[in-house]
Amino acid sequence: MTLATPDGAEIAYRYTPGRDPIVLLHGLGLDASMWDGVLASWPAERGALVPELRGHGGSTLGWRAPSIDLWAEDVARLLDREKIERPAVAGLSMGGYVAFALEATRRGRCRALAFLSTTAAPDDDAGRERRAGGIATIARRGWRAFADGMMPSLLNRDDDRFAANSAHVLAMFERAGDAGLPPALMALASRPDRRPMLASIRVPCIAVVGSADAITPPDRAREIAGAIPGARLHVLEGTAHLCALERPREVAALLEDL
Ligand code: MLT
């Protein structure tokens, strides 16, 4: 399905109506299909809305530059269209930044929040420089060189499903491609610091992270779970950044429990 935005973007999404719906937000370069493994273990009667954030998957860019807040605005538009009042929201990495933005800008809209492989902290100067390096790599050598450079930090080479998961990740990155990735990197580099809001979050929350996550290491999840009242931390042993691909059944069980 697609939704047209006032600035001319088309937002692609999947929606399965059902009780107590959950919204699943993907990470940088990925698309709705990153949740396929999780949804395979999802109870059939539960609803799920899975957007593709503008510039990713089947979603196009409009004339407004992507930002974390704009992605959250698009998600809120989808919720309004599908008349979903108070969903649980789970975001992985960049999707987690969007989940924070939804909670910051639309207090009370989320019934529960799951922060997977993400951080509440903004980029530091070195991080922003790495974003600029990524943008230059894409301009000179294309999305594939950028994706190849990220792969060792996204997935654990020793995981049984590494070959299938890395092929899947490349297929998703190809859909974002040279057009979608640079504006997304700019949006990530200029995202706000969400640490000051953590103590004021009042809905059930979990933070989930792989013990071998090199992009958002366990300390980042510990910081989130430690600061949100009542939040729980789950560390998945031996798992890298894309925990929903490496441990889909465990992630589905944690989300269902939440
Ligand atoms: C992601 O997986 O969404 C990105 O690695 C997030 C980031 O680079 O900050």
Side-chain angles (χ1 to χ4, degrees):
M1 287 184 274
T2 57
L3 173 76
T5 69
D7 72 317
E10 284 210 339
I11 310 302
Y13 67 104
R14 301 177 186 178
Y15 178 46
T16 314
R19 73 165 173 81
D20 300 337
I22 190 165
V23 177
L24 299 170
L25 301 171
H26 63 75
L28 172 70
L30 307 180
D31 65 27
S33 72
M34 71 147 275
W35 297 106
D36 285 354
V38 171
L39 288 173
S41 307
W42 199 240
E45 73 278 8
R46 297 280 314 267
L49 176 81
V50 195
E52 301 198 312
L53 301 173
R54 58 171 74 199
H56 293 75
S59 295
T60 59
L61 296 168
W63 57 257
R64 290 172 73 191
S67 67
I68 304 296
D69 281 350
L70 183 57
W71 281 320
E73 196 178 311
D74 291 338
V75 174
R77 246 178 237 289
L78 296 178
L79 294 177
D80 291 345
R81 177 199 243 191
E82 298 300 346
K83 302 191 173 36
I84 300 172
E85 301 230 324
R86 286 198 79 215
V89 175
L92 183 139
S93 202
M94 182 179 93
Y97 310 155
V98 178
F100 275 125
L102 270 174
E103 177 65 10
T105 58
R106 289 160 177 84
R107 253 314 133 104
R109 187 90 206 234
C110 306
R111 183 166 43 91
L113 290 159
F115 301 104
L116 314 180
S117 312
T118 195
T119 175
D123 275 8
D124 57 14
D125 287 344
R128 292 197 185 98
E129 242 174 71
R130 279 195 297 278
R131 305 284 187 204
I135 292 164
T137 299
I138 296 162
R140 294 189 188 117
R141 295 161 52 217
W143 69 269
R144 177 65 197 254
F146 175 75
D148 285 345
M150 274 199 85
M151 197 65 81
S153 353
L154 293 176
L155 293 169
N156 182 352
R157 225 170 221 294
D158 299 328
D159 187 74
D160 291 348
R161 279 177 291 208
F162 176 78
N165 279 339
S166 55
H168 183 191
V169 167
L170 283 180
M172 291 190 275
F173 265 82
E174 184 170 18
R175 296 185 78 208
D178 295 347
L181 288 166
L185 288 167
M186 291 175 202
L188 295 185
S190 54
R191 73 182 187 277
D193 187 354
R194 300 300 185 187
R195 290 172 296 188
M197 71 176 272
L198 294 177
S200 67
I201 297 180
R202 288 287 176 271
V203 295
C205 290
I206 55 172
V208 181
V209 67
S211 66
D213 187 338
I215 297 181
T216 47
D219 273 358
R220 301 300 184 97
R222 220 164 268 132
E223 179 176 52
I224 295 171
I228 299 176
R232 280 171 294 131
L233 172 71
H234 301 276
V235 180
L236 303 173
E237 279 312 313
T239 305
H241 187 59
L242 297 184
C243 61
L245 270 78
E246 289 188 350
R247 299 282 175 270
R249 277 191 300 275
E250 287 94 321
V251 168
L254 290 170
L255 296 180
E256 204 187 331
D257 190 41
L258 171 72

